[in-house]
Amino acid sequence: MGLISEVLLLPFAPVRGSGWVMKQVLREAERIYYDPSTIRAELARLEEQLEAGEITEEEFDRQEDELLDRLEIATRQGAGRGDGTAPQ
């Protein structure tokens, strides 16, 4: 960009900075959401809730399916990157 366009766009710098911050926050949230260790911990917690009678078998099945879907996506995306890690 030229000097004139930089000067004209200067008032919008905070908006551009906020957009960058929001992208970084979203990227980190997705990394945590699809982290296999996080998903496995949630599966263990879910099983504990079932054994303690805090949730029904149907609720367990529904939540377990959602978590296993997330784990499959995380595994597929990690395999696509070739390093076996969660997506970033």
Side-chain angles (χ1 to χ4, degrees):
M1 284 191 202
L3 180 61
I4 294 175
S5 61
E6 285 293 325
V7 170
L8 292 174
L9 294 175
L10 189 59
F12 299 107
V15 174
R16 291 189 309 213
S18 297
W20 179 84
V21 168
M22 288 190 296
K23 285 179 187 176
Q24 298 305 312
V25 169
L26 179 61
R27 182 177 295 149
E28 181 64 11
E30 287 178 340
R31 186 191 66 76
I32 292 169
Y33 185 77
Y34 287 109
D35 180 24
S37 62
T38 301
I39 298 169
R40 288 186 190 102
E42 289 180 30
L43 281 167
R45 205 169 21 251
L46 186 64
E47 189 170 344
E48 290 172 2
Q49 289 177 333
L50 177 66
E51 290 173 0
E54 297 174 6
I55 60 174
T56 65
E57 185 75 34
E58 293 79 24
E59 181 66 16
F60 173 82
D61 289 340
R62 187 186 64 76
Q63 289 184 27
E64 182 186 41
D65 287 344
E66 291 174 7
L67 289 169
L68 292 175
D69 288 344
R70 274 176 45 200
L71 186 59
E72 181 181 341
I73 291 169
T75 303
R76 195 172 341 131
Q77 289 177 344
R81 290 179 34 201
D83 60 5
T85 61
Q88 292 185 359

